[in-house]
């Protein structure tokens, strides 16, 4: 992992989690899903854009027969959640009777998942669970069941590995935290 600060839009970030630490957390999470869903064929619902890198790595470790769909739900600007959740876009697959695993980059206030899960549930799936890379327990403002959390983190703003700061930083293989 790079040991130096990076600057995005004039804001400094310091190294927080290396690519290998992330890989280990993601592989452990996938192993739990593989065990829990043995004999089933889940539909992974990946929330764009932040979830793309996590989902890509997670799915490489999933040994179950499964399907993947990408959706988009909310806009996010700066370092504070807007709390705005738009329509769910891109969910054309038939979800009725399916076991859905929502793949999200980070659960912060929980607003996004709080709105998304009921929308998915209204379409009659057999089950809906959330698999998130990061969870900030101190920020949570909604009652939410998080079945799969790769890593709990403090209430700090992080970038890299799919997560952005106003559009920048998603491509970084490591995760950095705002200084
Ligand atoms: P929530 O709705 O407040 O739980 O926030 C969920 C969304 O906010 C995530 O999907 C991210 O896009 C964004 N977000 C929250 N915290 C961070 C962060 O520390 N870095 C980058 N994006 C974040």
């Amino acid at each position: 992992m790079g040991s130096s600060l990076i600057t995005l839009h004039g804001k400094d970030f310091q190294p927080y989690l290396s690519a290998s630490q992330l890989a280990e957390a993601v592989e452990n999470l996938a192993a739990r899903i593989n065990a829990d869903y043995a004999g089933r064929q889940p539909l992974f619902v990946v929330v764009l854009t932040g979830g793309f890198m996590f989902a890509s790595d997670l799915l490489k470790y999933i040994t179950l027969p499964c399907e993947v769909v990408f959706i988009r739900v909310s806009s996010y600007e700066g370092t504070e959640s807007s709390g705005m959740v738009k329509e769910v876009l891109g969910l054309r697959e038939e979800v009725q009777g399916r076991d859905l695993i929502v793949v999200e980059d980070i659960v912060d206030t929980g607003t996004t998942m709080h709105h998304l899960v009921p929308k998915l549930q209204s379409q009659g799936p057999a089950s809906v669970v959330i698999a998130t890379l990061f969870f900030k327990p101190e920020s949570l403002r909604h009652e939410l069941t998080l079945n799969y959390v790769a890593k709990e983190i403090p209430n700090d703003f992080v970038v890299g590995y799919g997560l952005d700061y106003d559009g920048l930083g998603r491509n970084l293989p490591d995760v950095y935290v705002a200084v």
Side-chain angles (χ1 to χ4, degrees):
M1 171 161 68
S3 58
S4 46
L5 290 180
I6 57 161
T7 305
L8 304 171
H9 292 304
K11 190 175 179 63
D12 290 335
F13 294 86
Q14 66 186 23
Y16 181 54
L17 288 166
S18 68
S20 59
Q21 288 172 309
L22 292 162
E24 193 185 334
V26 172
E27 190 172 359
N28 288 339
L29 196 75
R32 287 179 50 208
I33 294 174
N34 286 331
D36 292 351
Y37 284 78
R40 287 190 277 171
Q41 192 172 299
L43 172 61
F44 287 88
V45 179
V46 181
V47 182
L48 293 174
T49 302
F52 80 97
M53 211 177 270
F54 169 47
S56 165
D57 285 343
L58 179 77
L59 284 156
K60 285 181 225 166
Y61 296 118
I62 296 295
T63 51
L64 308 158
C66 64
E67 288 175 69
V68 187
V69 61
F70 294 88
I71 64 164
R72 188 177 286 277
V73 287
S74 74
S75 63
Y76 190 86
E77 282 165 23
T79 56
E80 256 182 71
S81 178
S82 65
M84 287 262 302
V85 175
K86 294 183 190 164
E87 285 292 287
V88 179
L89 300 174
L91 194 64
R92 283 183 285 270
E93 271 70 8
E94 184 59 69
V95 303
Q96 203 164 2
R98 301 296 309 273
D99 291 310
L100 307 186
I101 302 177
V102 178
V103 181
E104 170 73 313
D105 55 354
I106 186 164
V107 174
D108 182 20
T109 64
T111 303
T112 308
M113 289 301 110
H114 177 74
H115 286 89
L116 177 62
V117 170
K119 280 187 198 221
L120 295 174
Q121 249 146 8
S122 71
Q123 297 187 37
S127 64
V128 183
V129 301
I130 298 167
T132 185
L133 173 65
F134 294 132
F135 171 41
K136 297 181 185 174
E138 294 158 32
S139 304
L140 194 65
R141 288 195 220 133
H142 301 273
E143 208 164 300
L144 211 55
T145 303
L146 296 177
N147 310 70
Y148 300 104
V149 176
K151 189 153 178 51
E152 288 193 4
I153 63 170
N155 191 12
D156 296 318
F157 194 81
V158 290
V159 294
Y161 197 68
L163 293 116
D164 74 308
Y165 173 52
D166 276 351
L168 295 182
R170 295 194 196 277
N171 56 309
L172 299 165
D174 306 311
V175 168
Y176 294 76
V177 63
V179 179

